[in-house]
Amino acid sequence: MAVKRKDKRGRILRTGETQRKNGLYEFRYTDADKKRHSVYDMDLASLRKKEEEIQDFLREGMNYAEGEITVIQLLERYISLKRGVRYHTQKGYQFVMGVVKKDAFGERMIRDIKMSDAKLWFIKLYDEGYAYTTIASIRGVMKPAFQMAYEEDIIRKNPFAFRLDIIPNHTKNRVALTPKQQADFLAFVEQDKHFCRYADEIKILLGTGMRISEFCGLTIADLDFENRRPVTKVLS
């Protein structure tokens, strides 16, 4: 019968756990690439919390490698790799996650998703009242997430790699204001008791085509007042 190892206080140590002479606890484990690692702590309880996190991470990695994760988990993994994205992009991710989490489709295993399943899901969303542009935005997150899994050999094909022509597109092309319409609009703004306070801002938006968020983010350093133009920034 194997003798169970104990620490200096007589507590039985688990597989992979040891205690050094100075009292430091060590836990050794092997990762998915067969490489050995160790974590340390002076407190056994704290060490075991680290062990639990490691075991969860290893299980997640194994499940991902086998395609045994849900659509929700794949999206979480994909989004977690995005750093430094803009505020509106973050909001877009949150919206898509919200849609997927409240739909049964989100609980399906990614290895079981076929292209017909993805198409039927979009048709279902359309029938539930989601607009074409909204579904296109959802696809804009789902497709690269599954592409990531495809490129890592987790799935054989990307089920969202198709044109979004399975649902009607009722969106209309935006038409720019004519010079007369712009003049009429500015005349209204300047004469209105409420909107006249925003006349300068509206003129800049009309004249530059900037988004409101871009306009609100402008600083003095962004403008070349002498040459009446934006500062040209050179990307490194």
Side-chain angles (χ1 to χ4, degrees):
M1 182 177 179
V3 178
K4 295 184 178 180
R5 288 175 299 172
K6 298 182 180 180
D7 65 3
K8 294 180 179 181
R9 296 173 55 182
R11 293 176 295 188
I12 297 175
L13 298 176
R14 299 172 180 171
T15 301
E17 295 177 345
T18 57
Q19 186 181 29
R20 297 184 175 183
K21 291 182 179 180
N22 63 358
L24 182 68
Y25 290 96
E26 177 185 8
F27 173 68
R28 301 190 68 192
Y29 67 96
T30 304
D31 65 15
D33 296 323
K34 307 301 181 183
K35 295 181 180 180
R36 297 285 289 172
H37 301 274
S38 294
V39 291
Y40 306 90
D41 205 290
M42 290 301 297
D43 180 67
L44 183 58
S46 298
L47 180 75
R48 287 179 173 171
K49 286 184 179 179
K50 295 178 181 179
E51 290 177 34
E52 292 174 2
E53 294 175 356
I54 291 169
Q55 296 296 347
D56 288 342
F57 177 80
L58 292 175
R59 280 193 294 269
E60 180 182 340
M62 291 174 62
N63 291 342
Y64 178 63
E66 297 297 327
E68 294 180 354
I69 64 170
T70 64
V71 175
I72 294 174
Q73 291 171 323
L74 175 65
L75 285 182
E76 291 174 339
R77 186 184 186 94
Y78 170 74
I79 293 173
S80 71
L81 297 174
K82 299 297 180 180
R83 291 291 185 273
V85 297
R86 296 180 178 179
Y87 172 80
H88 291 291
T89 302
Q90 293 177 355
K91 286 297 182 182
Y93 288 154
Q94 292 174 11
F95 171 76
V96 174
M97 283 299 304
V99 173
V100 176
K101 283 184 175 180
K102 67 181 181 181
D103 195 287
F105 187 83
E107 298 296 337
R108 295 189 58 180
M109 295 293 170
I110 63 171
R111 66 179 183 183
D112 298 329
I113 304 295
K114 303 294 187 294
M115 187 173 289
S116 58
D117 296 323
K119 290 181 177 181
L120 287 171
W121 182 51
F122 280 165
I123 292 172
K124 173 178 174 289
L125 292 179
Y126 180 80
D127 291 341
E128 291 177 353
Y130 286 90
Y132 177 93
T133 52
T134 302
I135 296 174
S137 297
I138 295 172
R139 177 178 176 271
V141 180
M142 300 293 288
K143 182 179 178 180
F146 274 83
Q147 185 65 23
M148 177 186 71
Y150 166 73
E151 291 175 354
E152 294 179 334
D153 295 324
I154 308 303
I155 55 178
R156 295 181 60 187
K157 291 184 179 180
N158 183 346
F160 286 89
F162 58 85
R163 294 180 60 185
L164 196 59
D165 54 5
I166 55 173
I167 56 176
N169 182 1
H170 298 303
T171 58
K172 297 180 179 179
N173 293 329
R174 296 180 182 180
V175 180
L177 296 176
T178 65
K180 182 179 184 308
Q181 288 173 329
Q182 292 184 46
D184 291 344
F185 176 63
L186 288 175
F188 164 77
V189 169
E190 291 171 345
Q191 296 170 12
D192 186 84
K193 293 182 180 180
H194 174 73
F195 291 108
C196 64
R197 71 186 73 176
Y198 306 115
D200 291 337
E201 290 85 347
I202 291 174
K203 288 178 182 178
I204 293 173
L205 292 172
L206 279 175
T208 62
M210 285 190 296
R211 300 181 178 90
I212 292 178
S213 60
E214 294 171 335
F215 172 73
C216 293
L218 278 180
T219 66
I220 294 177
D222 296 320
L223 304 173
D224 182 349
F225 289 95
E226 183 177 344
N227 296 304
R228 300 176 61 83
R229 66 185 184 185
V231 173
T232 302
K233 296 182 180 180
V234 179
L235 299 178
S236 57

